[in-house]
């Protein structure tokens, strides 16, 4: 007999993907004041997939719980997740402190254990740091199998078949729950959230806890020395013949 599926979906608050980030005056990071924040696009895909699985397997899926590790304002993206169909949520409030993937993974491990989750679906990376590490680290800490870069997910009882994108094309793997899945762009297209659903989401549970509640101490292992814009590209040059092209390439020592 198949066991009940309890899905955990970690989500992150990032600068809206439609905006072009600007480096701050101190060259220590990206300017975050006065800019719009939204749910990380890959996290949005993870939420959508969790909801799709629950809709397709109503008897099998017991619950979907969303968790965000970030500032108090991250409650906004949790409300969005709740409006999309997530049942309950938790904010691990770390204030304005930057938190690295290993610390995120340690906190997520505690949440997994607390909620007795057996399927974690999360974005393959966040568009702010592009680390692409949290899912893999969490799988390592839990000792669970992992399916990264998922472009298709099929749940069959206690087993999940995942098609994942790799350099050579696509790879299909099958694993038994518990399992970690990280989502890629082609997995699905998140639906737009309507205002009535956002209003209803305000009645759904959203608990706020501190990292201390899980016995995890936030420590910085990395130090950012400087953030700067990439060098501007020089203008291209038109050539009128192959001989001229070869000559230009030789001047640039590209041949």
């Amino acid at each position: 007999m198949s066991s009940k599926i309890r899905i955990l979906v970690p989500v992150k608050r990032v600068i809206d993907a439609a905006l072009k980030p600007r480096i701050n005056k101190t060259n220590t990071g990206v300017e975050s004041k006065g800019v719009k924040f939204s749910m990380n696009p890959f996290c949005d895909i993870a939420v959508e997939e969790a909801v799709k699985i629950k809709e397709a397997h109503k008897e099998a899926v017991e619950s979907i719980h969303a968790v965000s590790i970030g500032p108090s304002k991250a409650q906004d993206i949790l409300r969005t997740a709740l409006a999309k169909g997530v049942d309950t949520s938790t904010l691990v409030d770390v204030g304005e402190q930057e938190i690295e993937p290993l610390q995120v993974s340690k906190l997520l491990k505690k949440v997994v254990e607390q909620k007795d989750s057996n399927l974690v679906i999360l974005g393959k990376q966040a568009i702010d740091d592009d680390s692409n590490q949290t899912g893999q680290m969490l799988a390592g800490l839990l000792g669970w199998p992992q399916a990264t870069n998922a472009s298709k997910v099929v749940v069959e009882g206690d087993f999940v078949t995942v098609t994942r994108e790799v350099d050579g094309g696509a790879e299909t793997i099958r694993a038994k729950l518990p399992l970690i899945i990280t989502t890629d762009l082609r997995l699905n297209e998140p639906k737009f959230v309507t205002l009535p659903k956002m209003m209803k989401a305000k009645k759904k549970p959203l608990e706020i806890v501190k990292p201390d509640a899980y016995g995890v101490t936030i420590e910085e292992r990395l130090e950012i020395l400087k953030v700067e814009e990439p060098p501007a590209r020089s203008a291209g040059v038109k050539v009128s013949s192959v001989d001229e092209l070869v000559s230009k390439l030789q001047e640039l020592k590209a041949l």
Side-chain angles (χ1 to χ4, degrees), residues 3 13 59 93 103 106 116 118 131 153 164 191 223:
S3 58
R13 178 179 181 265
E59 298 299 319
D93 191 342
Q103 306 302 320
K106 288 179 177 179
D116 196 24
N118 54 4
S131 293
V153 175
R164 55 188 301 269
K191 297 183 185 71
E223 179 186 0

Side-chain angles (χ1 to χ4, degrees), residues 114-134:
Q114 181 190 57
K115 301 299 178 183
D116 196 24
S117 306
N118 54 4
L119 177 58
V120 180
I121 306 176
L122 68 162
K124 72 170 185 178
Q125 66 195 77
I127 62 170
D128 51 5
D129 58 19
D130 281 322
S131 293
N132 194 346
Q133 294 177 337
T134 302

Side-chain angles (χ1 to χ4, degrees), residues 186-205:
R186 276 173 282 279
L187 180 57
N188 61 54
E189 189 168 337
K191 297 183 185 71
F192 180 76
V193 182
T194 61
L195 183 58
K197 287 184 178 180
M198 284 298 295
M199 296 303 290
K200 287 181 182 178
K202 291 182 178 181
K203 297 179 181 178
K204 290 186 176 182

